[in-house]
């Protein structure tokens, strides 16, 4: 699923492209989305075109990226 095709499940609800969980997307919130307050996931770790991630999956991927050094 592409980022612009993120499955909506009611008002400000999205589905995680990794696990399928429903989560609140704060993209339209005055303070912005919760994900903007987390470190950016390296582009070689996840294709943004795949869609949004829930907080649990994003944190898991961030932890995995931090634990395994990227190859140059």
């Amino acid at each position: 699923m592409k980022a612009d095709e993120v499955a909506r499940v009611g008002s400000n609800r999205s589905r995680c492209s990794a696990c399928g969980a429903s989560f609140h997307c704060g993209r339209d919130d005055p303070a912005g989305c919760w994900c903007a307050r987390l470190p950016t996931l390296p582009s070689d770790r996840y294709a943004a075109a795949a869609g949004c991630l829930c907080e649990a999956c994003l944190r898991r991927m961030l932890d995995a990226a931090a634990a395994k050094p990227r190859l140059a």
Side-chain angles (χ1 to χ4, degrees), residues 3-72:
D4 60 341
E5 297 172 343
V6 172
R8 292 288 176 183
V9 187
S11 179
N12 292 332
R13 301 299 295 177
S14 293
R15 286 225 182 264
C16 177
S17 63
C19 72
S22 173
F23 66 95
H24 174 78
C25 176
R27 178 182 62 199
D28 298 327
D29 290 353
C33 191
W34 56 267
C35 68
R37 293 184 282 283
L38 295 176
T40 302
L41 190 62
S43 61
D44 65 335
R45 302 297 178 147
Y46 183 74
C52 293
L53 297 167
C54 68
E55 186 171 1
C57 286
L58 179 54
R59 288 187 182 277
R60 180 177 44 80
M61 289 184 171
L62 286 167
D63 289 345
K68 182 177 179 186
R70 295 185 303 175
L71 300 175

